[in-house]
Amino acid sequence: GAGVSQTPSNKVTEKGKYVELRCDPISGHTALYWYRQSLGQGPEFLIYFQGTGAADDSGLPNDRFFAVRPEGSVSTLKIQRTERGDSAVYLCASSLNTGTDTQYFGPGTRLTVL
Amino acid sequence: AQRVTQPEKLLSVFKGAPVELKCNYSYSGSPELFWYVQYSRQRLQLLLRHISRESIKGFTADLNKGETSFHLKKPFAQEEDSAMYYCALSGKAAGNKLTFGGGTRVLVKP
């Protein structure tokens, strides 16, 4: 079946602009995770959803970052007033449930802030 | 706070030689440890997890709680093993999020 998909695959924006990154999880997966991977580093946790609610948003770096999952499926990561330091690959993952279920990753969105 | 350390950024070995990727962690409680792999131009995928105690593609990893390590090993490396490998940790105290190490790039030379 279809895996996790993310759009766009690449996004170039200017400093100060607003961006939205979309994640389509595997159908039926109730848990959805966002990670950020800067160049030369491992992925870092941002936020995860169980259903529609954000169960843990402790990884969001500041209040410019926000994520939603209004119907418990697709999720959107929103970044306001982008800064050059936000440039990274943003990864989405989903799992059947939380706990020990395997997380399946999407291909990522490469965000470049000029 | 939980932390995962992969001390080697790059491991270069010849085909048929053994390869060992080091992973050390710090965590309060009972962690769950994973190895993820990312082949060139592919997405991140689970290689193995310690609770499964299985060998995948010839790789094994043993959780050593005394040394807080979860090293990944393969006795005979193949060229198709060339990839980026990430050690990761999860657990009840960490919620369900994964904490990743910085990654080790493995290059298997013919």
Side-chain angles (χ1 to χ4, degrees):
Chain A
V4 177
S5 62
Q6 292 185 245
T7 53
S9 55
N10 279 284
K11 176 70 177 178
V12 180
T13 191
E14 293 179 342
K15 179 175 178 292
K17 299 290 188 182
Y18 168 83
V19 297
E20 290 189 352
L21 311 178
R22 176 186 168 109
C23 172
D24 276 274
I26 293 171
S27 178
H29 280 196
T30 63
L32 185 146
Y33 306 79
W34 283 99
Y35 296 86
R36 177 169 74 171
Q37 186 170 22
S38 300
L39 193 63
Q41 299 182 22
E44 293 179 301
F45 170 79
L46 294 176
I47 183 171
Y48 96 87
F49 292 86
Q50 178 59 45
T52 60
D56 183 348
D57 64 357
S58 61
L60 294 177
N62 51 59
D63 61 6
R64 295 187 297 106
F65 289 75
F66 189 71
V68 296
R69 195 185 184 201
E71 297 178 357
S73 179
V74 170
S75 176
T76 305
L77 179 65
K78 308 180 181 191
I79 311 174
Q80 299 177 320
R81 304 183 305 280
T82 52
E83 300 178 356
R84 294 193 179 89
D86 298 335
S87 296
V89 175
Y90 289 81
L91 297 170
C92 177
S94 72
S95 65
L96 191 58
N97 291 293
T98 54
T100 58
D101 288 340
T102 298
Q103 293 184 29
Y104 295 89
F105 282 80
T109 294
R110 181 176 298 279
L111 175 66
T112 303
V113 182
L114 301 177
Chain B
Q2 61 272 12
R3 186 178 180 88
V4 177
T5 303
Q6 294 179 248
E8 303 125 339
K9 286 288 188 184
L10 173 66
L11 275 181
S12 182
V13 300
F14 284 102
K15 177 183 173 182
V19 62
E20 180 179 27
L21 289 73
K22 291 184 169 50
C23 172
N24 289 90
Y25 67 91
S26 62
Y27 184 76
S28 299
S30 295
E32 184 160 358
L33 274 297
F34 307 81
W35 277 98
Y36 277 80
V37 61
Q38 187 166 26
Y39 301 102
S40 180
R41 288 185 288 279
Q42 293 187 28
R43 62 187 67 190
L44 198 60
Q45 59 186 283
L46 179 67
L47 179 62
L48 56 78
R49 56 199 302 175
H50 89 272
I51 61 171
S52 300
R53 301 190 64 80
E54 57 190 346
S55 173
I56 303 293
K57 299 184 178 183
F59 285 96
T60 59
D62 290 318
L63 179 60
N64 186 323
K65 292 186 177 181
E67 296 183 357
T68 60
S69 68
F70 188 57
H71 303 328
L72 183 68
K73 303 176 185 179
K74 184 168 182 176
F76 308 103
Q78 302 300 312
E79 290 182 69
E80 55 266 29
D81 297 327
S82 295
M84 197 74 190
Y85 292 80
Y86 295 95
C87 183
L89 172 157
S90 181
K92 286 184 180 178
N96 299 294
K97 58 195 175 193
L98 291 169
T99 298
F100 287 87
T104 297
R105 179 169 298 282
V106 172
L107 177 61
V108 182
K109 297 177 287 188

